[in-house]
Each structure stands twice: as structure tokens, then as C-alpha cells.
Amino acid sequence: MNNFKYLKADTPAAAIAAVADNAASNFVAGGTNLIDLWKYDLTHPDRLVDINGLSELKTITELPDGGLRLGALVSNAATAHHAIVRERYPLLSRAILAGATAQIRNSATNGGNLLQRTRCYYFYDAASPCNKRNPGSGCPAIEGHNRLHAILGYSQKCIAVFPSDMCVALAALEAVVQVAGPDGSREISFSDFHRLPGDHPERDNTLQPNELITSIDLPPTGFAPHHSYLKLRDRNSYAFALVSVATGFELENKTIKRARIALGGVAHQPWRVSAAEDLLVGKAPTAQSFGQAAGIILANAKGFGHNDFKIELARRAIIRNGLMALNPSSQRPGAQPSL
Amino acid sequence: MNSPPSATSHEVQLQINGKPAKLQLEPWVTLLDALRDHLDLTGSKKGCDHGQCGACTVICDGERILSCLTLGVMKNGSEITTIEGIAVEGEMHPLQKAFIDHDAFQCGYCTPGQICSGVALIAEGHAQTREEVKELMSGNLCRCGANTNIIDAIMEVKAGRYE
Amino acid sequence: MIQSKEIGRARRRIEGELKVTGQAKYAGEYQVPDLLHGYVVNATITKGRITSIDETAARAVPGVMEILHHERRLALPRFDIMYSDMDAPPGSPFRPLYDAKITFSGQPVALVVADTFEAARYAAALLNFTYEEVDFDVDLRANLEKAHKPAKGLATFIKPLPPNPRGDFSAAYADAEVRFEGEFHHASQHHNPLELFASTTVYEGPGKLTIYDKTQGTNNSQIYIANLFGLRFKDVRVIAPFVGGSFGSGLRPQYQLVMSVMAALTLKRNVRVTMDRSQMFTFGHRPETVQQTRFGATSDGELTAINHTAISETSSFEEYNEVVVNWGNMLYPAKNALLDYKIVPLDLYTPMDMRAPGGSTGMMAIETTIDQLADQLKMDPLEFRLRNYAERDVSADKPFSSKELRECYRQGAERFGWSDRHQEPRTNRRGNRLVGHGMSTGIWDVIALPGNASAKFTKKGRLIVKSAVTDNGQGTNTVMTQIAADQLGLPLEAVTFKYGKSKHPLSPVQGGSYTTGVIGSAVKLACLAVKNKLFKLAQIMDGFPLGDALPEDVDFIGGEIVLKQDPSVRIPLKDVIAFNRGKAVKASKSNIPNVFKLKQYTRAAHSAAFVEVEVDEQLGVVNVTRAVTAVAAGAIMNPQTARSQILGGMIWGISMALREETLLDTKLGKYVNTDLGEYHIPVHADIHELDVIFVEEKDEIINEIGAKGIGEIGLVSMAPAIVNAVYNATGKLVKVFPIKLGDLI
């Protein structure tokens, strides 16, 4: 809640230059996470560089390869309700609409969604130790309240999870993140964007300092005929996922030709295991097939006490969501379980 | 209460409830605090100040947002409708009337946020069924437990019974 | 008897338009000149002492005016009695900023005052405290052997300790053909009204203050502040016209009040202090409680033995108690009962009454235990309850002043369609979902306290009624106006109820479901006194139009006194005032309970909740798909606002059973989910079909208006009915509340 300076940038280049110019500068777009963190005294920007004026990042455009480019500054709501997204990438639309609330989705941007911080209780309490916030101070979650926490991909330093819903669908869709920095542009495949905590839980992703997300590009296929997003949480809406699953597959002659399954709420990044997806190829979309995939995905899962239930819950959620994907029209508001 | 300019403050022009407002704001003043402390528009409520209750909901450039999670300076040039501007020329909005008829509030503290949110929800047109309305109103908490009355009021207005 | 035109009539809230247009002002919203803003700093340790304070960085923030803490504060009294308040339990009340001692995590240790809210908030973060920490203990379950009986005091007068044992429980339990034994647990819960606690103190000159405070008792805050700062009562005006919910959290003055007053007196300026949401978790709360039940019955369903034990937390400095175990034997006349209630002091803040304190806790154990016995007996749980219906309160050996619980059962069951319930768990399905039906009884005491009101009939023909009581959303404003209107036969529009100011006639704190009975009775008495005076004046008016009519020979209708035998004889009340030389007719009355009469009866409201749940069989997601609560609470003043109160209670029941708990990290000694993102109260998507029935019940014993109160009764039956419905759906009895995702897979 420190005082800070404010600058409104006119172009991406100017925004990047402004942030590069001051190590304690931050981009601010929707602000729904950054302002929250600042008020909790968890982040201390010296200057906020407002990028809301960068109109070139505010559009959704079709790509020559048949894919779709989601501008980094398009709001989560505008993305979810966009006609092409709804028609061709309904999995993404449903995942976005399962996250946060109508008000927050109107402000929150696509780029910002990728950069949100964990919701671990201890990370959010400035007076508690936390390796993510204050490297080397310890992790009280491992022996404390860890209901929200990871069962996969954790480290001894951090068991926090990445809280996004949108990103779980983007992982399943194999999106690509376009970024621009002081040294030019580059692209990052979605699976390389968020990282595991390892020895450096303070780093959530592989974005370099001063880099700006400019768009998120979707590949041509969007699993529109067979997709589902299922979100299990402590209330029916306005809560972070304990377990969420994004499932999409293509069917040919009643068997699976290609499948993608991503889990949310279980790890420091959206969780995908390609061996499980490969296993489904050539199989019928049945509870048994999805159960086998779940077995592979969760093979190394481990709980920390309060979150032990997530392992079995995730297995069942993978199965249910596979079956829900057979009948996307059955899906309910808030990505609640159906069937 | 309007602050004098300082080295760090910015001039911010807003259109609030149809009237222009010129403010001198420090960058760290949220839109909510600007409304409440600088413009005495205390109808927008602070229930959590962290985007977790919806009591501060206002309609900004036609969309409902949380005024606690945005800075005043970021909204320079925006049109904002707060609960004080939902009624037009003294005539209450149908949803305000429906809230009274359905006893859709008790303490009244979440009410401005519920109404701003509900007015925007109706305009958005994404929610048709009661289940969809409940989901898209879930960003507004009510601790008194007026939930069913709130949703009843919105459904009545959506059905055109307050035209 | 007067004819009720308003009492019993559905009326919209009088202040409704102010609330839906944003004009209603709450405590932290008054724009007063040259206002300063305070921000509270809280201790980051659980127990120990402050060793040093570094103000340098905080003082350097532009706009900072003052920093108050234990080394820099106004003089405070030395004796505990001066810190007491109307709802203080026995013990030594917490003293904000008193000394270096830290006794709970989040203890307020300083106030930063600045010219803007933002500067105060920033400087508060920069204020640097160093502490000496000592070992603490906040773990209830690890310290059950330290439990002791709570000390007796004023609190145990209103919230009595358990009755003495009846019969021989051990022998009866051993002989019982059907037994159930269970241990139940729930974590702490915090009230979390949507409005943050706030006080705006206006410095009116030396020793004189006007305070806009978030409270359930203006007089409580007034007396407390006057005692703390050595001010005269009449020089401390406390105003709380709109209160954004409280649910018990405003029963005691909170620390932001002390701090805002101290800052105002120190700086001789107007000062506002508003808590933030995490600070809303640093004072009273519903205590974590461990309960044990052992109930026994005969094979034909007669409940013979009740043993109910509860152990709750309290702080290291006060002995909080609530009524958890007394209800079982009031509801079910087992001949053998052994009831025990104890508390364990821990390094936490003192718990505090939270909506249906004790009752909602106890009923979770009692009513699930009752259902488990019925299940073992293969008896319908409603039939089992009727088999053991108490016509008399055997626990106190008294009759009930009134009790229409049987009718609650009947009407509730009928509306719900209880006869369609499957007795065998796990046998009712809809697709992937198991369907369960459950029910529960509810009970809540009718508390009688003194309360005061004044009434005045003016020359403009208006009836002005006053009481210091607050309306925190219960509908008090509307209901008191209705009660007053009926006494003088006036339309609602001719009556104004003035409330929420300490200068009005003294009122107890708003709570315990007693406000309508206590203040409503005082309002009635004051209005009847005015009526009587008006009649006496009319009797001596020129020409004696009423002749020698007695009070019972006339009606007060539509602003006139009308002779019953000859309705053409009417005297406008305005004429009576004119005859009184234009002087308003006034009266003040105290409602003083007839304790001698009252204590001969057990006085309670009752309810029955019927609930349907759907449980996703594989995923364990629970939804309360529909529920009916039937309530017998004496006279219902306003069915519309009363229905809302019951709906609110039912939603609190859903929350208690399925949503809310404050997570305590026993290693760090602090609560960790101290925000509304992780402290889960229900959202709209959680709430489905809810229905309320008010069963007719007449009670001429409890108070002047026959109203038992409805603030808690909707809650107490709801949560156990959900737990029972989940059992009926799944065959699993969850005894750790709330039931969470993951508990049923």
C-alpha cells in the first residue's frame, strides 16, 4: 500500500521502455490482482505503467493458419462472450466464465490472467513466512492449512497452486503466448509459460523482466464438438478451484482420435500429462478409458493432509468431465458438475 | 473533499451519473475511495476492499466493475454510474422498486452493489434462466441472507413486470 | 384490546428507498469537516510483549498527524469495571492500547492518524514493532483436559448454565435398547457483516463528542466511552442510524471506537477509523466447540437418557459462555439427563455471541443424534420426535408459556411433502445425484429485559416514538412504527419511529431475538399512555362530546376518537391537542418484565426445518435444493420482514452446515483465511428454493405484544436438518462441520 508514481503508456514500445527504465515499475492493465496484492502490502511498485491505452492489444483477430489471436488487453469477459470464441473455442469460454465474477472478468485482461499470483493463505499474509514471497523464510503450508494446495509438481519449498481457470483451458488448447521485450518479440508455448516452484518458487513463469504479453494465440482446432470444463470448489461460484478439469477430444468412428486433459487447482501450473492423452487415442470415450488416463495423470500425486482428498477427487473429476465432454450442451453455469 | 494538486497527483476527469467531475487524485487512490472520500458518493460500499464481496460494484463505460480494484487515475475519461445515478430524475429504476417490493435487502449494505450488478446483468443479456442469473450475480455477497428475494426481484424485472 | 390494522400486516421497509438509492449513511460515511483518518496496526505475534516501536518511517509519510500506542496515549482507567459493557462476560475486558502485553494474534497495538485514508494506511504499514514472543496455545482439542465451568455473572443470568442432572443417566443409558454416541466439532466462525466496523468521532469541544458508530447498542457504546475517557454520559452522543449487519459482532464496543475517540480527544479533531476486512477477524467470534452426545431410547422409541457435553474456547482474560447443552431435555422429556458445559482458556480473543449463539451449536449435535436413533429404530424421524414431544419442560419442571411445535411439524411436513421421504439412506436418486431428506427441530429462548420508549402526539397529528435501539437490518424501524400506529389507530404514514441515538430512551443492545418483544412492549406502553392522556383530555373537552364514556367505550381510528355505540360521535385527535393549547401529549414508559410471572414458565420459540439435498455421488458436491421452515414464534408483527429474517436464518444454516469456518493455524497461532475470498459465506448460486411458514401461536405471558422474536429461530433448525438430509442421501454421518467437498467421497 506504498505510494507510487503513475504513467500512462501510448505504445507497447513506450510501455516496455518505461518499465525497463525503472526496476520497480510494473505494468498495470485490469489491476484486479495487482491492486489487491498492493493493498495487502505484498508488492511495492515504485511506478505503475498503465497499458490500457495500447489499443493494438485490445482486439481478437483471426490468424492466417485458422487460429485465433486474443489480444492481451481484451477483457476476460469480452473474450468469453466473443462470437468466434464461443463457436470454435467454447472450452475456453466456459473456463473463463467459471473464474472470478462477472465484475472481475469485465476488468481482468487475458494477459493479466496468465500472471495472477497464487491464493495460498500464507502467501497472502505479509506477516507469515513464505518462500514465494520472501525466499528462504519457509513454507508454513506444508504442515499447516493446505486444503488449497498442490498434489503434483510441488517442491519442498512451495506447495502453492496457480489459481487460473482460463489457463487450464489454454493449456488444453495448446495456446501460444506472444511476448514483446526490450530485445524484440518471441513466443512461448503454453506448457513452457508457467513453471514449477522447484528451488525458486518466487518465479511463477518464464516471462523475463520487462517483457510484455501482447497476445495469446489459439491453434485452429478448439474441440468444439467434445469439450467440457468442470470446476470443483468450496462453493458453487466465486471461489478458486480445488480441482478443475479441462477436457477436449476429437472422435472418429466413436473412438478418440486426439485428446487433451488439463487440471487446475492441483499444481503450480496447469497440469497436463501427454502419456495420458496418448493413451486415450483409439479408445472409446468411456468412464473406463478416462479412469485409465486419470491413473497416469495422478500416478505421482501426494497430499499434505488437508488436501489428500484432492487425489481421489481429481480422478473422479477427470472421469466425469470426460463424460460431460460427450454432451457439451448438458454443462451448467459456473462449470458445476452435470449429468 | 477535493485535494489540491501535488507533485505526484493527476487530474482526472470523469462523467459521474451524467455529470462531469474533475478531480485531482494521487495515483494510489482507488476509484472507490475517490467516489466515497472525494465526491461524497458513499452509496458505493466498501465491504472488503479486495474484490471479494461486490459491494463496491459500479457501472463503468457500460460494464459492471469493482471500484475497489481499480485506481481513479486509470479511469480518466470514463463514464461511471453509481447507485446514486441509477434512478433517473427522481424516478427509481424498476430494479430499485422491485428490491423494495421483494424485501431484497435487510441491512442494506450490499444493496447498492447488488442493484448496480443486477442492472448491468439485465443489460448484458447473457443470463436467461434463474440458474444463470444466480451464477452471474454470485459476485455480490449478501450476509443477511436476502439471496432468494434478490434473485426474485431481478427475475421479475427481467420478465418485464416493472415496465 | 385494540384492533390490529398494522400489526400482522406485510409492510415494506420504511427506509427501503434510502437503502436502494444509496442515500442511507453508515457509520464510516459521514462527511464531517476537516476529517482525519485513522488506520489500526495489529500485532503480528500471538503472545508476548512489545519491546520497541520505531515510528521513523511512518512519521515520514506526508500527511501523518499522530501515532497512538501504549506508550503514547491518553490516560485510561485502571479498573476492569470501567471497561465493562452490556455484553461483557465475567473477567477482565480487553483494553486497547493499554500496555505492552500481547494476548492474541491481531491485537490492535497502534493507531496511525493522517489527513487521508491512504496516508494513514501507508504509514501503518511502515510502523515497526519489535516483540518478545512467548509460547502460546490456541489448540482447543489439545487442551480439553483444561476445561472448567464458566464463572457466574450477568452473562450467565441471560445465558444460564446447564441444569442439574436429572435421574440416573448412566443406569438409563446402560439399560437403553438403542444408543447413539457421537463427537461433534466445528471450528470458529466470524460474523463478517458486510459493513466494516467503523466509527466517525466528531469533536464538539472539550469533553463533548458525537460518534457515528457501528454498533448494536448506542447506549452501550455511550456508557463504555464515557467510562473509558472520564466523560459525562450526556456529553457522549452515539448515533447509529443505519448499521450494515452485525449478527452479534456489534453487541460489544469494538476497538475502532476506542481508537477513533482517543484520537479525536488527543488531536481535538474529527477522526474516522474503519477496520479492514482482515481486522474483522481480530475480535469476537463463534467459539470452536467440541461436543459429545450419548442418547439412549427404548426399542419402541421412548427417549430415556440424554448426555450432552460441550467444551468451547474462551480467551485468557474473559469467561465467555453460551447455552449449548440445555436444549435437548427441554425438547425431549427423557427422565435421565446429564448435561455439562465447560470452557478452555486459549490465547485467542474472547468469543462473542454470533447469530443463535450456543443454540445453533448445540442443535447440530442434539438433532443429528436424535435422527441417528430414529435411523436405528427404523422409525421416521418426525414420528420419533412426536413420540417424544415435550408437553412440559421437564428440565426446569415448568410449563411452556405456549408451544405450537407440533403444528410446525405438521404444516412443515405437509408443505415439504415429507411423506415421500425414503427411510433407507442411499435409496433415492436423480441421475448421478443421491437425494436426501432431513429434518430438525429448532428452539430459542424468549429473553425478557427492561427497555424504554417515549411517545409524543404532536399538533400536526403525528405520533413520534423514540428509543435508543438500533435497526441492523432486522426491520425494527418498520415493526416499531406498525406497533405504534395500532395503539392510536393511526395510519403508518402518521407515525415516525426515531431510533439509533443514545439520547433517546435507554435500550439494551439489539440481539438475542428479544428486541421486538422488549422494545415493542415499551413502544406499546408509551403509546397507550399517550392514548390514555388523549382520552382524558377529550373527556373534559368543551361540551363533553364523549359524555361519561370509559376508555373501553371508544375506539381510536384514523386519527379520531370514535364512540363505539354511536360512531357519529368522533373527536379528531388534532382537536384534542388544540384543546391542550397546541401542546403535544407525551409519555415515556419502561417495559419492566414481570419476573415473578415469567419465571413460572419456560418461554421459547420453536421451529421445524425440512430439507432436501442432492449429493453428487462421485464428486461429493452437496446442494440444498429446497427447504421449508415452519416457525412458531408468537405474534408476527410484519410477515414480510419476518419472512426475510427466517430466510436469512435458513441461509445461515446452509452456511453453518456447508460453508463457513475460520481456519486456525495452531502452530502460527493465528487465523489464516481472514478475507471473504477464503472465508466462504454462501453466494447466490448456492441458494435454491426456500419456503417459510408462520404457525399461529398466541402467547399472553411473554410480553405486552406476544412476540417471541425471530432472529435466531430460522437458523437453529436448518443446519442439523441439512446434516440429517446428507445422511439420508449418502448413509454418511459427518460430525465435523461444515461438511466440505471431499468429506463425502
Side-chain angles (χ1 to χ4, degrees), chain A:
Chain A
M1 62 198 70
N2 58 298
N3 294 349
F4 51 79
K5 297 185 277 292
Y6 171 82
L7 176 75
K8 183 143 187 175
D10 297 329
T11 65
I16 291 163
V19 167
D21 177 52
N22 178 341
S25 272
N26 289 69
F27 298 119
V28 64
T32 51
N33 194 204
L34 182 68
I35 292 171
D36 182 38
L37 293 166
W38 162 74
K39 281 195 211 172
Y40 276 122
D41 209 19
L42 305 176
T43 187
H44 310 93
D46 179 60
R47 182 168 70 177
L48 291 186
V49 177
D50 184 345
I51 55 173
N52 286 295
L54 311 185
S55 52
E56 55 269 66
L57 308 188
K58 288 188 162 173
T59 56
I60 292 179
T61 48
E62 294 191 75
L63 292 168
D65 68 350
L68 192 68
R69 171 160 291 177
L70 308 174
L73 287 177
V74 180
S75 74
N76 290 173
T79 306
H81 295 301
H82 192 273
I84 298 175
V85 175
R86 288 172 61 140
E87 187 195 330
R88 285 169 45 199
Y89 306 96
L91 175 61
L92 177 62
S93 183
R94 287 183 192 278
I96 292 173
L97 294 176
T101 67
Q103 290 96 313
I104 293 171
R105 294 190 295 265
N106 279 337
S107 291
T109 62
N110 292 336
N113 193 298
L114 270 59
L115 301 178
Q116 59 188 301
R117 309 297 311 269
T118 184
R119 293 285 162 168
C120 170
Y121 316 113
Y122 302 96
F123 172 79
Y124 255 87
D125 173 22
S128 287
C130 170
N131 287 327
K132 184 180 272 299
R133 186 166 27 74
N134 185 11
S137 61
C139 175
I142 292 172
E143 292 188 350
H145 283 283
N146 46 44
R147 177 173 178 78
L148 300 172
H149 292 73
I151 53 171
L152 290 162
Y154 49 81
S155 74
Q156 292 311 305
K157 296 228 164 118
C158 181
I159 61 170
V161 301
F162 177 59
S164 168
D165 291 294
M166 179 182 184
C167 290
V168 182
L170 291 173
L173 291 167
E174 298 185 311
V176 173
V177 185
Q178 301 287 349
V179 306
D183 305 323
S185 304
R186 65 180 182 120
E187 56 180 49
I188 307 171
S189 73
F190 210 80
S191 56
D192 292 334
F193 189 84
H194 295 102
R195 56 185 299 284
L196 293 181
D199 286 336
H200 289 284
E202 70 279 9
R203 287 164 54 199
D204 291 349
N205 53 58
T206 55
L207 200 67
Q208 294 301 307
N210 315 330
E211 279 187 327
L212 175 69
I213 299 172
T214 54
S215 73
I216 298 146
D217 292 354
L218 302 176
T221 41
F223 303 110
H226 300 293
H227 74 275
S228 180
Y229 189 70
L230 172 62
K231 183 173 182 181
L232 300 169
R233 40 181 159 174
D234 274 330
R235 56 186 175 191
N236 287 348
S237 186
Y238 210 177
F240 292 94
L242 292 165
V243 170
S244 70
V245 191
T247 303
F249 48 79
E250 292 165 24
L251 286 184
E252 198 170 75
N253 298 326
K254 296 186 180 168
T255 61
I256 295 172
K257 191 174 120 194
R258 183 165 163 263
R260 293 291 177 263
I261 298 173
L263 264 58
V266 296
H268 201 261
Q269 63 183 27
W271 195 259
R272 266 184 68 197
V273 177
S274 52
E277 297 168 351
D278 295 345
L279 173 126
L280 287 168
V281 174
K283 288 207 159 62
T286 60
Q288 195 190 9
S289 306
F290 294 120
Q292 287 172 357
I296 294 174
I297 294 169
L298 297 163
N300 296 316
K302 174 184 165 299
F304 291 87
H306 296 285
N307 67 347
D308 292 348
F309 72 97
K310 280 188 175 185
I311 302 171
E312 178 61 16
L313 185 67
R315 190 183 72 79
R316 296 181 184 195
I318 292 166
I319 296 170
R320 172 69 63 82
N321 201 44
L323 301 175
M324 284 165 63
L326 280 171
N327 183 11
S329 64
S330 72
Q331 292 170 34
R332 298 174 52 204
Q336 295 179 53
S338 61
L339 296 180

Side-chain angles (χ1 to χ4, degrees), chain C residues 429-451:
Chain C
R429 285 168 188 277
R430 278 177 209 140
N432 266 320
R433 300 181 302 281
L434 295 162
V435 178
H437 293 165
M439 68 158 298
S440 168
T441 310
I443 182 168
W444 187 256
D445 269 346
V446 180
I447 298 166
L449 292 171

Side-chain angles (χ1 to χ4, degrees), chain C residues 68 78 190 201 308 350 441 529 565 650 687:
Chain C
L68 299 173
R78 289 173 58 196
H190 283 76
T201 301
H308 185 184
T350 312
T441 310
Q565 276 187 328
M650 291 169 78
I687 305 302

Side-chain angles (χ1 to χ4, degrees), chain C residues 28-325:
Chain C
E29 298 180 339
Y30 283 82
Q31 286 294 350
V32 296
D34 302 319
L35 182 66
L36 299 178
H37 300 258
Y39 206 91
V40 179
V41 180
N42 302 79
T44 53
I45 66 162
T46 303
K47 193 175 183 181
R49 51 189 291 278
I50 302 163
T51 51
S52 71
I53 305 167
D54 182 357
E55 301 181 359
T56 320
R59 291 249 177 216
V61 174
V64 170
M65 312 283 291
E66 183 56 280
I67 298 174
L68 299 173
H69 45 72
H70 72 282
E71 292 173 344
R72 189 180 169 84
R73 61 159 171 82
L74 294 182
L76 287 169
R78 289 173 58 196
F79 298 106
D80 282 339
I81 185 72
M82 302 304 280
Y83 295 83
S84 194
D85 67 84
M86 288 180 179
D87 197 40
S92 177
F94 172 62
R95 304 174 174 193
L97 306 188
Y98 191 74
D99 56 22
K101 218 167 116 190
I102 303 297
T103 53
F104 59 94
S105 175
Q107 177 177 323
V109 290
L111 182 78
V112 177
V113 187
D115 59 0
T116 65
F117 163 72
E118 291 83 2
R121 181 178 60 181
Y122 182 22
L126 296 174
L127 194 59
N128 199 4
F129 278 78
T130 45
Y131 300 97
E132 184 181 288
E133 256 192 287
V134 300
D135 288 346
F136 54 80
D137 208 334
V138 298
D139 192 338
L140 176 67
R141 278 174 289 186
N143 288 286
L144 294 176
E145 79 285 353
K146 291 186 189 158
H148 66 264
K149 288 188 191 302
K152 286 189 178 177
L154 185 63
T156 52
F157 173 73
I158 295 172
K159 299 183 287 183
L161 296 174
N164 293 328
R166 296 183 55 250
D168 182 347
F169 168 77
S170 297
Y173 190 68
D175 289 347
E177 289 154 309
V178 181
R179 299 187 196 101
F180 179 81
E181 179 175 355
E183 181 171 303
F184 301 83
H185 175 256
H186 70 77
S188 307
Q189 299 167 5
H190 283 76
H191 308 74
N192 278 308
L194 252 277
E195 183 197 9
L196 299 164
F197 268 79
S199 303
T200 305
T201 301
V202 181
Y203 184 78
E204 308 272 19
K208 283 190 80 166
L209 302 173
T210 298
I211 307 165
Y212 300 95
D213 188 33
K214 177 176 176 66
T215 178
Q216 286 170 258
T218 54
N219 297 129
N220 199 26
S221 294
Q222 174 195 30
I223 295 163
Y224 176 77
I225 285 300
N227 284 340
L228 241 61
F229 294 101
L231 306 174
R232 290 186 302 184
F233 291 142
K234 72 180 182 63
D235 288 343
V236 180
R237 281 203 314 153
V238 176
I239 302 177
F242 289 98
V243 184
S246 42
F247 317 107
S249 60
L251 290 172
R252 303 187 68 183
Q254 299 304 353
Y255 60 76
Q256 94 290 341
L257 170 66
V258 179
M259 297 204 170
S260 109
V261 168
M262 191 187 282
L265 291 171
T266 303
L267 294 165
K268 303 187 170 36
R269 292 278 300 268
N270 304 332
V271 181
R272 171 187 303 157
V273 179
T274 304
M275 287 194 195
D276 65 28
R277 183 52 64 179
S278 64
Q279 288 165 346
M280 299 285 285
F281 291 81
T282 57
F283 53 94
H285 51 273
R286 192 191 301 284
E288 177 180 2
T289 304
V290 176
Q291 302 181 69
Q292 271 159 339
T293 57
R294 286 185 297 164
F295 286 16
T298 63
S299 59
D300 64 349
E302 185 195 340
L303 192 67
T304 52
I306 292 178
N307 172 211
H308 185 184
T309 304
I311 301 181
S312 296
E313 40 143 327
T314 191
S315 64
S316 61
F317 44 89
E318 286 174 309
E319 304 235 313
Y320 175 80
N321 84 294
E322 53 187 30
V323 181
V324 178
V325 301

Side-chain angles (χ1 to χ4, degrees), chain C residues 482-498:
Chain C
Q482 289 176 280
I483 293 169
D486 271 359
Q487 311 312 318
L488 265 68
L490 292 168
L492 210 56
E493 299 70 36
V495 183
T496 302
F497 181 57
K498 296 193 170 186

Side-chain angles (χ1 to χ4, degrees), chain B residues 36 40 42 45-47 52 83 96 101 103 105-108 114 134 137-138 143-145 147 149, chain C residues 12-13 19-20 25-26 29 31 190-191 194 245 277 473 640 644 648 652 660 675 681 684-685 687-688:
Chain B
R36 287 169 62 86
D40 197 19
T42 53
K45 301 300 182 198
K46 187 182 282 192
Q52 298 167 339
I83 188 67
Q96 291 173 313
D101 289 349
D103 207 29
F105 51 88
Q106 293 178 36
C107 79
Q114 302 275 1
K134 286 196 289 188
M137 283 300 293
S138 283
R143 185 54 156 165
C144 296
N147 305 71
N149 293 344
Chain C
R12 295 179 182 88
R13 277 169 216 266
K19 284 178 173 170
V20 302
K25 288 263 183 199
Y26 297 78
E29 298 180 339
Q31 286 294 350
H190 283 76
H191 308 74
L194 252 277
R277 183 52 64 179
Q640 184 171 25
S644 297
W652 272 63
E660 69 186 273
D675 60 60
I681 67 170
H684 289 301
I687 305 302
H688 309 299

Side-chain angles (χ1 to χ4, degrees), chain C residues 313-391:
Chain C
E313 40 143 327
T314 191
S315 64
S316 61
F317 44 89
E318 286 174 309
E319 304 235 313
Y320 175 80
N321 84 294
E322 53 187 30
V323 181
V324 178
V325 301
N326 304 10
W327 312 101
N329 207 209
M330 282 168 78
L331 280 171
Y332 305 109
K335 294 190 180 77
N336 307 282
L338 182 61
L339 308 172
D340 197 17
Y341 173 77
K342 290 192 173 114
I343 53 174
V344 177
L346 295 170
D347 297 311
L348 296 164
Y349 193 81
T350 312
M352 197 174 172
D353 292 339
M354 176 164 160
R355 201 168 192 176
S360 57
T361 296
M363 295 306 277
M364 293 286 268
I366 295 163
E367 287 294 292
T368 47
T369 299
I370 289 287
D371 255 46
Q372 289 302 305
L373 287 177
D375 189 66
Q376 287 183 41
L377 288 160
K378 306 228 175 292
M379 190 182 273
D380 181 291
L382 175 53
E383 188 189 330
F384 182 53
R385 285 175 173 85
L386 288 168
R387 170 83 176 73
N388 292 285
Y389 192 85
E391 301 291 355

